[in-house]
Amino acid sequence: MKKGKFIVLEGPDRCGKSTQAKMLLNYLITQGNDVILTREPGGTRTAERIRQIVLEPGLSVTAMTELFLYEASRAQHTEELILPALEAGKTVLCERYTMSTCAYQGYGRGIPLRIIRTLNRIATQNLVPDLTLVFLMSDKYFTERGEYLYSDRLEREDIAFRKKMRRGYLNMIKRTPNAYLVDADKDIMDVQTRVQEILKEHGI
Ligand SMILES: Nc1ncnc2c1ncn2[C@@H]1O[C@H](COP(=O)(O)OP(=O)(O)OP(=O)(O)O)[C@@H](O)[C@H]1O
Ligand SMILES: [Mg+2]
């Protein structure tokens, strides 16, 4: 039986998920919570190996293969790490989860959402986040916040792709219970303040 809270940080590349997740981890620890921070794709040894295949530049990966790799990584990560941690009463912070797959493989690559939702349900064993924070930023920050970064295969997608995904995230926020849009254009501390407010509204 799940006792801990499952909090997911979502949003496109470079919107600040990792930055905010680390700050939130520290905040929750200071508040006396037993909390772990993890990410997708990855989070366990096997899932991290799958992540390497998905993100390797130059490797040929079809849209459907990509979907199955993400779901394989998710199945392993959920069963091996997330569910046991929640059962032990821990708060689990996770960078990316099911919404990312709908955004990239669904809205982005055009795989029907009903297929993705079905696979998501199988891979997660029907686990759904207690809270989903969706960080969205203006496209102009995409280069600014990542100029010196190494771009993986997926980050080399173009502006049109990122626009499609943004629309996808906005749609999903509307239809997902306990999903919140967080304005990621603001500076790092303001974004974190908003995140902590949302958690408090949820009694976390
Ligand atoms: N609110 C902000 N304002 C300005 N710069 C930011 C902000 N948030 C994060 N950054 C910077 O933008 C870059 C990307 O941030 P971060 O790695 O946290 O994003 P991410 O969403 O985890 O990216 P990815 O999807 O690639 O993992 C980092 O250099 C970070 O310091
Ligand atoms: Mg990150």
Side-chain angles (χ1 to χ4, degrees):
M1 244 272 290
K2 170 179 168 307
K3 296 189 215 109
K5 295 283 185 196
F6 183 33
I7 303 170
V8 172
L9 296 91
E10 286 280 3
D13 294 330
R14 301 178 194 173
C15 65
K17 297 177 297 299
S18 299
T19 306
Q20 296 301 325
K22 284 187 201 97
M23 293 168 84
L24 188 55
L25 174 71
N26 289 333
Y27 166 74
L28 289 169
I29 290 171
T30 322
Q31 299 288 103
N33 295 283
D34 195 358
V35 41
I36 62 163
L37 170 58
T38 184
R39 67 166 184 188
E40 289 212 341
T44 68
R45 275 187 68 201
T46 308
E48 288 288 336
R49 292 274 279 276
I50 299 171
R51 178 188 177 96
Q52 286 168 8
I53 300 173
V54 181
L55 299 182
E56 187 179 316
L59 202 62
S60 158
V61 178
T62 70
M64 201 50 82
T65 305
E66 190 179 75
L67 172 61
F68 279 104
L69 287 171
Y70 279 120
E71 298 294 357
S73 164
R74 178 161 304 136
Q76 185 69 32
H77 185 214
T78 303
E79 184 158 341
E80 189 182 333
L81 186 79
I82 301 175
L83 286 173
L86 292 172
E87 277 157 24
K90 292 180 187 169
T91 302
V92 176
L93 298 182
C94 185
E95 292 178 47
R96 298 193 180 285
Y97 203 57
T98 47
M99 198 182 266
S100 281
T101 316
C102 290
Y104 285 73
Q105 281 64 50
Y107 289 95
R109 303 222 192 279
I111 296 175
L113 286 170
R114 67 185 160 74
I115 293 177
I116 299 175
R117 291 196 192 111
T118 302
L119 293 178
N120 276 341
R121 275 196 295 274
I122 295 168
T124 60
Q125 302 179 33
N126 290 318
L127 174 70
V128 289
D130 294 292
L131 196 60
T132 306
L133 303 164
V134 186
F135 300 89
L136 291 180
M137 66 173 182
S138 313
D139 204 59
K140 61 179 178 189
Y141 291 122
F142 184 75
T143 2
E144 204 172 288
R145 293 187 189 176
E147 270 163 344
Y148 54 90
L149 292 175
Y150 144 89
S151 278
D152 63 42
R153 189 176 60 82
L154 297 175
E155 281 175 347
R156 291 182 192 171
E157 306 285 359
D158 59 7
I159 294 179
F161 187 85
R162 294 203 293 275
K163 275 203 176 124
K164 269 194 278 186
M165 285 207 311
R166 184 186 172 83
R167 274 200 302 276
Y169 277 116
L170 289 170
N171 279 340
M172 288 187 284
I173 290 167
K174 278 189 217 140
R175 54 165 285 161
T176 309
N178 302 321
Y180 289 82
L181 168 64
V182 180
D183 179 2
D185 284 356
K186 299 217 174 90
D187 71 48
I188 290 174
M189 289 309 299
D190 290 342
V191 177
Q192 180 61 204
T193 303
R194 180 66 193 127
V195 165
Q196 292 177 12
E197 267 172 25
I198 296 170
L199 263 74
K200 280 180 198 141
E201 285 165 22
H202 275 259
I204 304 171

